[in-house]
């Protein structure tokens, strides 16, 4: 498998985007909805599956697309090709505040495992599949971390971490316990399992879920401080409730609190 060799630049701080420079006939594949802008001379094409060389033939394309259904993604991806002479650029944006992480798969022996909604885009030729769990506990209780994607090949891929990103290098036998939704991705040698938190008070009153992920080295792990599910949950909790009244910051003061904080909507 030989992926296209692409150059890139990442811009921004909280709301980043990646600008990819394509030589003639080079291409990049991306999740639907991540496209931001492109130069004249870039051709956009909707493809079945990920468009990697592994998906040759009709059956291969069906299987490649079917893997994406299991991760909750669309059957289709979008490919962008430079069809003119000279270099052309195409850009892809973060879906919410955070950091874009460039992953050179040649540095990770051709494979990187990531959260199912972390993938942003990759060089044409990189295979985007699913990483099956071989452990019963992980399958039943993994939550957001149950279905992981695997990126395979020898090209560049880009994943997104919400909030602030932490990169942890685990030594052999070193263990890191993480909220399942806070995992962005990890290298293939990291051992990943689900553990029960334990304790009656933790279980009933902890508010952090019943399980966490146990990551054991050697390998590299990327952690995000703001999983999208956590962000969405906070937004939903603050949304207007039935009857059209929102919760507001000044809940003790009620309507007076809204007047004091400048929210004078009627």
């Amino acid at each position: 498998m030989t992926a296209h060799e692409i150059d890139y630049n990442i811009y921004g701080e909280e709301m980043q985007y990646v600008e990819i420079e394509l030589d003639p006939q080079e291409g990049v594949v991306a999740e639907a909805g991540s496209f931001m802008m492109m130069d004249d001379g870039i051709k956009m094409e909707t493809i079945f599956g990920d468009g990697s060389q592994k998906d040759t033939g009709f059956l291969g394309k069906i299987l490649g697309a079917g893997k994406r259904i299991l991760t909750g993604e669309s059957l289709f991806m979008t490919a962008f090709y430079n069809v003119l002479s000279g270099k052309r650029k195409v850009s892809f944006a973060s879906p919410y505040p955070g950091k874009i992480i460039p992953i050179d798969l040649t540095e990770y022996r051709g494979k990187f495992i990531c959260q199912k909604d972390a993938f942003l885009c990759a060089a044409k030729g990189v295979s985007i599949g699913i990483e099956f769990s071989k452990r019963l506990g992980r399958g039943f209780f993994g939550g957001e971390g149950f279905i992981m994607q695997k990126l395979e090949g020898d090209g560049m891929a880009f994943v997104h971490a919400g909030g602030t990103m932490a990169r942890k290098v685990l030594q052999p036998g070193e263990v890191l316990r993480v909220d399942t939704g806070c995992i962005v991705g990890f290298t293939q040698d990291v051992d990943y399992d689900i553990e029960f938190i334990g304790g009656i008070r933790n279980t009933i009153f902890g508010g952090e879920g019943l399980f966490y992920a146990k990551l054991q080295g050697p390998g590299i792990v990327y952690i995000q401080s703001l999983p999208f599910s956590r962000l969405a949950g906070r937004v939903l909790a603050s949304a207007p409730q039935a009857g059209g009244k929102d919760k507001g910051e000044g809940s003790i003061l009620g309507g007076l609190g809204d007047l004091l904080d400048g929210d004078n909507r009627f």
Side-chain angles (χ1 to χ4, degrees):
M1 179 188 305
T2 303
H4 294 186
E5 296 182 10
I6 58 175
D7 299 313
Y8 70 92
N9 282 299
I10 295 174
Y11 297 96
E13 295 298 331
E14 288 78 21
M15 287 296 294
Q16 293 187 324
Y17 73 93
V18 56
E19 179 185 76
I20 295 176
E21 186 177 77
L22 300 176
D23 291 330
Q25 307 310 312
E26 282 186 345
V28 61
V29 294
E31 289 288 4
S34 61
F35 168 71
M36 179 179 171
M37 60 181 174
M38 63 183 177
D39 290 343
D40 187 33
I42 299 286
K43 177 186 176 184
M44 184 177 70
E45 179 184 356
T46 300
I47 59 175
F48 218 27
D50 57 23
S52 67
Q53 294 180 2
K54 290 175 64 175
D55 293 339
T56 55
F58 179 74
L59 181 58
K61 293 180 187 297
I62 292 291
L63 291 175
K67 290 184 296 185
R68 292 177 50 74
I69 291 182
L70 293 177
T71 64
E73 305 291 349
S74 168
L75 275 171
F76 301 93
M77 296 188 75
T78 309
F80 299 82
Y81 302 96
N82 180 4
V83 296
L84 298 181
S85 60
K87 297 179 183 293
R88 296 291 187 274
K89 296 177 180 178
V90 57
S91 300
F92 304 94
S94 302
Y96 55 97
K99 300 294 181 183
I100 294 175
I101 307 169
I103 302 294
D104 186 349
L105 291 173
T106 60
E107 296 181 359
Y108 300 129
R109 305 201 322 271
K111 182 179 178 181
F112 184 81
I113 300 165
C114 64
Q115 193 77 269
K116 63 185 179 67
D117 57 356
F119 172 72
L120 189 66
C121 61
K124 183 72 166 59
V126 171
S127 173
I128 301 103
I130 104 174
E131 179 74 3
F132 287 101
S133 173
K134 298 184 174 114
R135 291 180 175 165
L136 187 64
R138 183 171 150 193
F140 277 110
F141 308 115
E144 296 160 278
F146 166 40
I147 300 179
M148 307 291 285
Q149 284 187 328
K150 60 180 177 181
L151 309 176
E152 294 181 295
D154 53 7
M156 290 295 305
F158 301 87
V159 297
H160 178 260
T164 301
M165 185 273 294
R167 182 181 187 268
K168 298 290 186 181
V169 180
L170 302 181
Q171 302 303 315
E174 184 179 357
V175 171
L176 183 68
R177 290 177 172 85
V178 185
D179 181 282
T180 56
C182 289
I183 298 173
V184 178
F186 46 85
T187 54
Q188 57 182 304
D189 291 329
V190 171
D191 184 59
Y192 171 44
D193 201 2
I194 297 296
E195 281 192 352
F196 179 58
I197 290 178
I200 296 297
R201 282 182 297 179
N202 289 335
T203 301
I204 299 176
F205 305 111
E208 298 294 342
L210 302 181
F211 301 89
Y212 47 57
K214 176 186 174 184
L215 303 168
Q216 183 170 330
I220 299 173
V221 179
Y222 290 92
I223 307 296
Q224 60 186 348
S225 66
L226 182 63
F228 180 72
S229 59
R230 188 176 296 177
L231 174 63
R234 293 296 180 91
V235 172
L236 184 62
S238 300
Q241 305 299 305
K245 179 62 179 173
D246 62 21
K247 295 177 70 172
E249 289 89 349
S251 56
I252 295 178
L253 298 176
L256 179 59
D258 290 338
L259 291 175
L260 294 177
D261 68 12
D263 188 354
N264 300 320
R265 293 170 295 174
F266 296 99

